[in-house]
């Protein structure tokens, strides 16, 4: 079968399409024929050896996909051949087939196609966990989403609206801002694309405060980090929650902790992947809620770019180069 292979850590240019054997099944595993896969920032980090979970070399990148069950191991209980499934594998999805433990699969509801299913798990799974379990967001609160037109960002914009929050979307361009508006953002802020100096940080904080009647944002969803993080914490409301989602800007911020004291706010870590392994029943309940929201047309993953499996390395490069808006798909 065809698969995108990482034989050596580095940029997408080091990846190659190869013919490898179809994986053999363990008794608790399911073989899925992949129809559609999607790119996430962790793929960009993993091929460089920079992600918190690293498979041994050589490996096939690709954290999530959707497809059809083609074979099952003798101990598999919940799936049968022909079932349509979400695959949340962490790696291995940029390939024609994947063998995964059944706990990493969910059935796809009948009203959802393979592309939407491939685009939904990691982004909306992270955002619903962040906003519900970690921030306990309430209707009427203000949610600031940084990097808001990206994969996790846009899902947080939609979920924030679904939970009745006022959503402020912060992005690096007019084009990205208008995408956030289309997905429900009430206000947008455009920040400089190449990081913020001290004056720009002050201006960013002041803009957030001006949009929140001087009170600051109740919840800040931050997948960007870098020099954007500290001014966002400075513009967090009393009793606010600043959610540490990721560091797409490439730098882990080190904000002074007196800010948490002065704001009486919480700096809250979010590690969705580890949580799903510890709390599968709660994660399943979140997914069922996401399916209801999708059915009610309150969430709708935006798919803006498509690549085929032969060009999957270009798909990873596209996202890594900050060109992605919403989700980037790989048709398998
Ligand atoms: N905590 C968790 O459980 C969890 C789960 C999934 C993902 N994540 C993390 O969330 C982050 C975003 O992931 P994603 O898949 O949504 O990525 P994405 O689609 O590429 O979105 C990232 C956004 O970050 C902004 N950004 C700022 N500086 C950037 C830079 N130097 N390079 C690239 N983007 C930059 C971009 O928006 P602007 O151009 O508007 O600034 C971009 O839209 C990653 O750090 C990822 O590891 C965390």
């Amino acid at each position: 079968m065809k698969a995108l292979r990482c034989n050596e850590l580095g940029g997408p240019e080091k990846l190659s399409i190869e013919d490898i054997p179809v994986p053999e099944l363990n008794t608790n595993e399911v073989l899925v024929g992949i129809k559609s896969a999607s790119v996430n920032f962790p793929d960009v980090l993993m091929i460089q050896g920079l992600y918190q979970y690293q498979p041994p070399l050589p490996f096939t990148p690709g954290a999530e996909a959707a497809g059809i069950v083609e074979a099952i191991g003798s101990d598999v209980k919940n799936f049968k051949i022909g079932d349509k499934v979400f695959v949340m594998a962490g790696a291995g999805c940029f390939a024609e087939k994947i063998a995964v433990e059944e706990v990493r699969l969910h059935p796809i509801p009948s009203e959802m196609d393979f592309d939407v299913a491939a685009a939904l798990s990691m982004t909306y799974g992270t955002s619903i966990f962040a906003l519900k379990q970690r921030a306990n967001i309430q209707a009427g609160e203000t949610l600031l989403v940084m990097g808001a037109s990206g994969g996790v960002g846009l899902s947080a914009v939609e979920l924030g609206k679904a939970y009745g929050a006022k959503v402020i979307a912060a992005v690096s361009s007019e084009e990205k801002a208008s995408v956030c508006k289309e997905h429900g953002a009430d206000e947008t802020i455009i920040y400089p694309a190449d990081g913020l100096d001290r004056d720009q940080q002050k201006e960013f904080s002041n803009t957030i405060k001006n949009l929140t009647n001087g009170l600051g944002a109740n919840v800040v969803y931050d997948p960007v980090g870098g020099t954007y993080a500290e001014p966002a914490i400075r513009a967090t409301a009393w009793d606010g929650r600043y959610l540490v989602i990721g560091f797409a800007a490439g730098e882990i911020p080190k904000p002074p902790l007196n800010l948490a004291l002065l704001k009486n706010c919480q700096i809250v870590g979010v590690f969705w992947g580890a949580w799903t392994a510890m709390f599968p029943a709660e994660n399943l309940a979140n997914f069922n809620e996401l399916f209801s929201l999708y059915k009610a047309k309150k969430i709708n993953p935006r798919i803006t770019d498509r690549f085929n499996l032969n060009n999957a390395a270009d798909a990873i490069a596209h996202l890594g180069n900050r060109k992605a808006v919403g989700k980037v798909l790989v048709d398998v």
Side-chain angles (χ1 to χ4, degrees), residues 40-42 122 126 147 150-152 171-172 176 191 223-224 245-249 270-272 319 322:
N40 291 281
F41 209 84
M122 186 176 269
T126 299
V152 294
V171 289
S172 66
K176 290 181 172 184
Y191 48 57
V224 177
I245 306 293
F247 315 105
V270 177
F271 190 174
W272 175 67
L319 187 128
R322 206 173 177 172

